[in-house]
Amino acid sequence: MCHHVSPCPDATSEARDLAAVVSSHPEQGWRLLCNGVVLFDDDGELLPDGQAVPDHHVWLAPELVEA
């Protein structure tokens, strides 16, 4: 699907959400990536085969350093 000189990650890759944006609809909360993945603003994803993937990112809080 991707025709870039450096191909974007495949839809089955863990890095799939790093693919180039083909179409953006911020008013509706989603973007279509060149690998066929629909990426939602809540970080959920819809894969080309119809599989829904919930937010899978691990968000880390910065450590507090005592002075």
Side-chain angles (χ1 to χ4, degrees), residues 24-37:
S24 181
H25 295 275
E27 71 284 357
Q28 296 176 351
W30 61 274
R31 292 167 287 181
L32 175 63
L33 306 181
C34 74
N35 57 8
V37 172

Side-chain angles (χ1 to χ4, degrees), residues 13-50:
S13 167
E14 285 295 317
R16 64 183 159 260
D17 56 341
L18 298 177
V21 175
V22 174
S23 181
S24 181
H25 295 275
E27 71 284 357
Q28 296 176 351
W30 61 274
R31 292 167 287 181
L32 175 63
L33 306 181
C34 74
N35 57 8
V37 172
V38 177
L39 182 62
F40 295 97
D41 285 350
D42 67 357
D43 290 324
E45 301 170 352
L46 184 61
L47 303 183
D49 65 1

